[in-house]
Amino acid sequence: MAQVILKEISKKFGLIQVLSNVNLEINSGEFVSLLGPSGCGKTTLLRMIAGLETIDSGELLIDGKRYNDIPAQNRKIAMVFQSYALFPHMTVSKNIRFGLKINKTPEDEIKKKVEWAIELFGLKGLENRLPKEISGGQRQRVALARALVLNPKVLLLDEPLSNLDAALREMAMEELKRIHRQVGKTIIYVTHNQVEALSMSERIAVINQGKIEQYDTPRTIYDFPKTVFTASFVGSPVMNFFDGIISSCQDEIGIQTDFVFIKLDAERMEKLKSFKNKKVKVGIRPQNISYAEHHESKRASDTMIQVSIELLETQGDRSLVVSKTSSNIILRFMVSRDINIKSGEMVDVFLDGRRIHLFDPSTNINIFY
Amino acid sequence: MNIYSVKDKLKKLIWVGSIVFALALILLPLYLLIKYSISDASSINTGGAPIPLWPYHPTLKCYKYLFSDTQFYNVLSNSLIIALLTVIISMILGVPAAYVLGKYKLPGRHLLILGLISVRLFPDIASVIPIAEFFIKLRLHNTYTSIVLAHSLLALPYVIFIGMSAFESIPLDLEQQARVMGAKGFTIFFRVLFPLAMPGLAAAAIYTFLLSWDEFIFAYFLLGLGKITTLTLFLKQKLAYSPPQNLLATISVILSVPVIIFSLLLQKYMAAGITTGSVK
């Protein structure tokens, strides 16, 4: 277990700035996800921690010690590659014992550790199979077992679940969480999949174009996105955005948009007073727009609007509705699939004022942050 | 539906037909060789009657004759020693070169590779004269050293080439994984890269062995007049005295046996998709 600190880390590949001034503090035993679209630099960051990429500038500290110039083989950091990188000419058990063997672990200790790992990851009976003779899910578990037997300071995972199908992925996610609880290792997990990041990690660093957009708990990232990027990248379906201006109407402060005057919760309405006449980018998740029929008790912070239904997309138990406001702004929201609405219809919906996000259009940063 | 199946059947027939034809072309000389090697005199000198498709009285007389000849044993062991030494020398020199060229993007790498290929651009008959002269000046002609070095020279470009692609095809992830796990250069090479490049390297070794085993031109120029006789030179010597056809055929069969066996082995190695399953 170890604490990992990144200080002002930058990296260039040729002329391309891959990472710029990344600062990150990962506590000992913490499960942190690096979440971002492909090409954002998250894997490069992970590889720098592993020692597979050099650090152009900045500092990597592990347990307070500078690690910039320590070669990968001496870092005692384990990494699971996206490809799993199992040694194809070695059986499952040989793959697991490889690291122990080259680190000159005594034979009886190797035996004990390999047995422990095989037990922990449910690999009994597969010991003598070659990687090509086991399934994708099993390969992923072998890769994890092989990493964990080395008792690493930090465990780095590079999109380890991206090769699994949906059902297996869910199982693997539960298993990873269980393993983390059991062994308590510091885990740094790279993914572009927000579900994985939101459901497993204790903190998420959202990365975009080589910069950290926000670093916080999954809940805060979801409920209180710092930037427009975080707000639109995290959460599914994607958040609705439209423009507005902070103004007052009948002594009440709120956001004037070209189709409605939106109210917020009382607490934030109070804060809004200092932003009067400020232009804002308004964001609201599809989950926070509700179909009026099922909204018996309207809260004071709710705003009712009328929209016309454009199309409906059934997603299993729920449907995604794409609708248009009177000013032709597209709003997406969710309804239960039993609700009988058709495209072309006009319906009333409520915008949940407590879940409205406001961003400064010039900086794309949340005005309450 | 029916039309398609008729068309498919016709297609299949044409395919199978061409394969059978090609196979017949390839196997005909082999059949003739084997037939002659086990023929008795009456099946060769038929006195005007057509030569039979299979000898009247198949016999292993020629094999028995050759294998009771101590000179022939000597010749066999010469060829074997030269081929094995060539394999050892060209692997020792070629594998490290293949590793470096396959794994590191050195500046001038393409130039080096081009240089290697250029060695094989000259026909053997053109390069043999300067090489023979070189060894004669060093007073190394008629020695194992000269022929082994010459054969290694011929084999090295192949060893490096085949080996290079063998190393190149190993995913970088495996190497880096080993490094992260604490392995250093030598460990990574011997425990990860070498075993994975093994099929390719084995193919290169077998190819080298065969190249030396049935090589004639260099053997003729470098050893021609000396005490060391290889199998190909032996065949040439026998040919000069117009010996019975069945004896010549027998020598040729013995010369071909390792070629056939190793070629089959090679095929198995070449086909092995050993990296499947490691990296998706």
Side-chain angles (χ1 to χ4, degrees), chain A residues 143-179:
Chain A
L144 271 175
R146 185 176 66 170
L148 278 176
V149 282
L150 291 175
N151 194 22
K153 288 198 182 105
V154 184
L155 178 58
L156 308 176
L157 305 171
D158 187 6
E159 310 226 11
L161 308 184
S162 64
N163 293 334
L164 305 181
D165 60 49
L168 257 178
R169 182 179 308 191
E170 256 171 50
M171 268 172 55
M173 266 159 50
E174 279 172 29
E175 196 170 70
L176 254 178
K177 262 203 293 203
R178 173 177 67 88
I179 302 272

Side-chain angles (χ1 to χ4, degrees), chain B:
Chain B
M1 271 306 260
N2 219 353
I3 292 172
Y4 283 117
S5 70
V6 168
K7 214 172 144 187
D8 280 350
K9 267 183 192 157
L10 198 71
K11 237 186 195 167
K12 217 171 176 180
L13 204 71
I14 292 171
W15 272 113
V16 172
S18 356
I19 291 169
V20 169
F21 181 69
L23 215 62
L25 274 186
I26 294 164
L27 292 178
L28 192 68
L30 195 66
Y31 152 71
L32 286 176
L33 266 187
I34 292 171
K35 191 190 87 170
Y36 274 110
S37 78
I38 57 170
S39 283
D40 51 323
S42 70
S43 306
I44 299 171
N45 304 313
T46 50
I51 291 172
L53 286 176
W54 197 245
Y56 296 123
H57 308 287
T59 168
L60 292 175
K61 208 180 67 193
C62 286
Y63 290 93
K64 278 180 195 148
Y65 168 72
L66 277 175
F67 281 108
S68 61
D69 182 357
T70 46
Q71 196 209 346
F72 183 70
Y73 274 109
N74 200 9
V75 166
L76 259 186
S77 73
N78 277 342
S79 275
L80 205 64
I81 288 168
I82 291 168
L84 288 178
L85 284 175
T86 302
V87 170
I88 292 168
I89 299 277
S90 42
M91 293 309 273
I92 288 176
L93 292 176
V95 172
Y99 166 70
V100 172
L101 285 174
K103 276 289 164 206
Y104 298 96
K105 304 290 163 244
L106 298 172
R109 175 172 175 266
H110 291 283
L111 224 62
L112 273 170
I113 293 171
L114 201 71
L116 280 170
I117 302 171
S118 72
V119 175
R120 298 303 295 147
L121 283 180
F122 300 99
D124 288 354
I125 196 71
S127 48
V128 71
I129 303 292
I131 290 172
E133 203 175 292
F134 173 75
F135 282 120
I136 288 167
K137 281 211 172 115
L138 287 177
R139 298 190 170 283
L140 279 173
H141 60 295
N142 296 330
T143 59
Y144 282 124
T145 316
S146 67
I147 192 69
V148 167
L149 286 180
H151 282 176
S152 301
L153 195 70
L154 297 179
L156 262 174
Y158 294 113
V159 170
I160 295 175
F161 237 71
I162 302 172
M164 195 176 79
S165 50
F167 282 115
E168 237 169 359
S169 68
I170 302 170
L172 190 64
D173 276 7
L174 296 180
E175 224 174 307
Q176 297 190 328
Q177 177 71 66
R179 245 175 86 201
V180 173
M181 288 168 93
K184 290 175 186 69
F186 269 96
T187 318
I188 296 175
F189 182 80
F190 284 109
R191 310 252 345 226
V192 179
L193 297 175
F194 191 71
L196 288 174
M198 208 46 209
L201 299 180
I206 291 172
Y207 189 84
T208 303
F209 182 88
L210 295 181
L211 183 143
S212 168
W213 176 259
D214 61 9
E215 202 282 329
F216 175 70
I217 296 173
F218 279 80
Y220 186 69
F221 277 80
L222 291 172
L223 307 174
L225 302 167
K227 285 173 286 186
I228 304 169
T229 306
T230 66
L231 209 48
T232 51
L233 290 176
F234 184 67
L235 188 62
K236 164 78 178 59
Q237 280 170 17
K238 286 282 178 229
L239 208 57
Y241 301 115
S242 63
Q245 279 170 347
N246 48 359
L247 188 66
L248 282 182
T250 307
I251 299 172
S252 295
V253 169
I254 293 168
L255 190 62
S256 311
V257 163
V259 180
I260 295 166
I261 293 174
F262 279 139
S263 298
L264 290 175
L265 264 178
L266 211 63
Q267 200 199 9
K268 190 192 134 204
Y269 266 123
M270 293 289 204
I274 191 165
T275 48
T276 28
S278 67
V279 164
K280 223 183 150 185

Side-chain angles (χ1 to χ4, degrees), chain A residues 17-238:
Chain A
Q17 188 80 40
V18 196
L19 292 165
S20 30
N21 304 325
V22 170
N23 287 298
L24 207 59
E25 253 192 73
I26 296 154
N27 296 329
S28 189
E30 198 174 15
F31 191 138
V32 167
S33 288
L34 309 180
L35 175 68
S38 48
C40 73
K42 56 191 190 298
T43 294
T44 307
L45 196 59
L46 198 74
R47 291 170 58 84
M48 285 165 114
I49 299 171
L52 296 172
E53 301 284 354
T54 54
I55 296 170
D56 285 359
S57 65
E59 258 190 331
L60 164 66
L61 302 173
I62 296 175
D63 277 342
K65 195 177 158 209
R66 189 183 147 100
Y67 262 62
N68 289 39
D69 305 316
I70 295 181
Q73 63 262 29
N74 299 339
R75 289 196 182 188
K76 298 224 174 297
I77 288 175
M79 179 162 173
V80 173
F81 287 68
Q82 185 171 7
S83 63
Y84 306 148
L86 298 181
F87 301 124
H89 56 300
M90 298 182 197
T91 60
V92 167
S93 71
K94 279 195 178 135
N95 258 289
I96 298 173
R97 50 190 302 142
F98 177 83
L100 295 167
K101 192 127 193 189
I102 58 174
N103 287 309
K104 308 217 161 49
T105 318
E107 190 57 38
D108 52 329
E109 201 179 320
I110 292 184
K111 217 168 162 187
K112 253 198 297 197
K113 282 190 167 167
V114 172
E115 259 166 37
W116 167 81
I118 282 181
E119 183 71 36
L120 184 65
F121 286 93
L123 294 167
K124 260 220 144 54
L126 302 175
E127 293 95 329
N128 296 318
R129 301 260 194 103
L130 287 172
K132 66 177 171 194
E133 296 165 342
I134 58 177
S135 72
Q138 289 164 342
R139 281 179 209 161
Q140 181 254 336
R141 298 211 299 266
V142 175
L144 271 175
R146 185 176 66 170
L148 278 176
V149 282
L150 291 175
N151 194 22
K153 288 198 182 105
V154 184
L155 178 58
L156 308 176
L157 305 171
D158 187 6
E159 310 226 11
L161 308 184
S162 64
N163 293 334
L164 305 181
D165 60 49
L168 257 178
R169 182 179 308 191
E170 256 171 50
M171 268 172 55
M173 266 159 50
E174 279 172 29
E175 196 170 70
L176 254 178
K177 262 203 293 203
R178 173 177 67 88
I179 302 272
H180 178 240
R181 222 186 15 245
Q182 234 163 312
V183 298
K185 288 262 174 262
T186 309
I187 294 182
I188 307 178
Y189 184 96
V190 159
T191 182
H192 63 259
N193 183 319
Q194 47 161 314
V195 179
E196 288 172 20
L198 288 170
S199 55
M200 285 191 290
S201 32
E202 288 159 271
R203 277 197 288 178
I204 299 174
V206 180
I207 303 180
N208 182 35
Q209 295 182 342
K211 287 195 182 100
I212 294 196
E213 295 268 335
Q214 188 170 3
Y215 180 43
D216 220 318
T217 61
R219 191 166 186 141
T220 311
I221 295 237
Y222 189 85
D223 288 344
F224 192 33
K226 181 184 169 190
T227 62
V228 172
F229 176 83
T230 306
S232 58
F233 192 77
V234 179
S236 166
V238 175

